[in-house]
């Protein structure tokens, strides 16, 4: 799996957009970008994933650069409950053992009132 | 999203005993399951990958004889920590996949070995 680089921590004001960057400069053409988050002492929660195009769902938006070497997760209106560690992962599809998710250190997002 | 459960949610055991942790996919068939371990203030570390009906593939440095993984059905995988010691105390998390892009995580099991 490609290595990803994320800032260790970020703060965001409640109600504002949170923009979390991720660098994955060695991503391969068949690797997807996934975002998960982990609230303290819980299992990771899936947020969103994409290959080339920007994606949006009820939780967040994912913006992937044209060269696919970086991406940004956007939480449009952050709430206190969005305080968590956010992980950016790149991996191939899970057909074989190659499709495993390797977690880096993630970004600790703190949403402040 | 799909639901993955783990049982127990927490367990305390004496050193030298074995502990079994169950991971179930409740509303989908999981062809692949993953087991992770997470120490305090650290990220998740992948321990092994298991495909239903096959032997698990362990990551480098993970002792397969100590961490026994069984994936006997499409909805259940078990992790048995044999002869547990205090250094095995950790947060164990499983995840399950029923398709190419899916990976759903369980809530985790907190193991404390005295």
């Amino acid at each position: 799996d490609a290595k990803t680089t994320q800032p260790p921590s970020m703060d965001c004001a409640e109600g504002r957009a949170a923009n979390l960057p991720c660098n994955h400069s060695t991503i391969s053409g068949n690797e997807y970008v996934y975002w998960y988050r982990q609230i303290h002492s819980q299992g990771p929660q899936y947020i969103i994933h994409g290959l080339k195009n920007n994606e949006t769902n009820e939780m967040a938006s994912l913006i992937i650069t044209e060269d696919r070497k970086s991406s940004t997760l956007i939480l449009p209106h952050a709430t206190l409950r969005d305080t968590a560690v956010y992980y950016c992962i790149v991996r191939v599809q899970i057909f074989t053992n190659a499709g495993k998710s390797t977690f880096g250190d993630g970004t600790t997002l703190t949403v402040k009132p | 999203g799909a639901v993955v459960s783990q049982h127990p949610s927490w367990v305390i055991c004496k050193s030298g005993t074995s502990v079994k942790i169950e991971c179930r996919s409740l509303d989908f068939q999981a062809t692949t399951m993953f087991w992770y371990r997470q120490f305090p203030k650290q990220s998740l570390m992948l321990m092994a990958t298991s495909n239903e009906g096959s032997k698990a593939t362990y990551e480098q440095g993970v002792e397969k004889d100590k961490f026994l993984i069984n994936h006997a059905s499409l909805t259940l995988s078990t992790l048995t920590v044999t002869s547990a010691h205090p250094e095995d105390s950790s947060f164990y998390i499983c995840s399950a996949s029923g398709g190419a892009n899916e990976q759903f995580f369980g809530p985790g099991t907190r193991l404390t070995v005295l």
Side-chain angles (χ1 to χ4, degrees), chain B residues 15-49:
Chain B
S15 184
T17 61
S18 294
V19 175
K20 180 184 284 188
I21 301 170
E22 293 185 347
C23 176
R24 294 182 185 272
S25 57
L26 298 185
D27 50 4
F28 68 101
Q29 294 186 322
T31 52
T32 306
M33 286 186 170
F34 304 87
W35 285 96
Y36 293 83
R37 180 169 52 181
Q38 185 176 32
F39 293 108
K41 298 189 184 300
Q42 295 186 23
S43 185
L44 284 77
M45 184 185 75
L46 180 65
M47 299 175 67
T49 303

Side-chain angles (χ1 to χ4, degrees), chain A residues 49-65:
Chain A
H49 78 277
L51 181 63
K52 289 189 289 188
N53 300 322
N54 298 337
E55 302 288 344
T56 295
N57 62 20
E58 65 277 5
M59 288 183 69
S61 294
L62 173 61
I63 308 298
I64 302 174
T65 57

Side-chain angles (χ1 to χ4, degrees), chain B residues 98-111:
Chain B
N101 286 322
E102 305 167 344
Q103 185 176 11
F104 300 102
F105 287 81
T109 296
R110 176 81 54 195
L111 170 63

Side-chain angles (χ1 to χ4, degrees), chain A residues 5-12 16-24 33 35-37 47 59-63 70-76 78 82-88 106-111:
Chain A
T5 304
Q6 299 177 250
S9 64
M10 292 182 66
D11 291 343
C12 177
R16 304 296 293 270
N19 297 286
L20 292 92
C22 179
N23 285 321
H24 31 80
V33 180
W35 283 84
Y36 292 87
R37 72 180 182 184
I47 301 173
M59 288 183 69
S61 294
L62 173 61
I63 308 298
S70 65
S71 61
T72 301
L73 177 74
I74 301 173
L75 307 179
D82 292 321
T83 292
V85 180
Y86 287 77
Y87 295 101
C88 166
T107 295
T108 299
L109 174 69
T110 303
V111 181

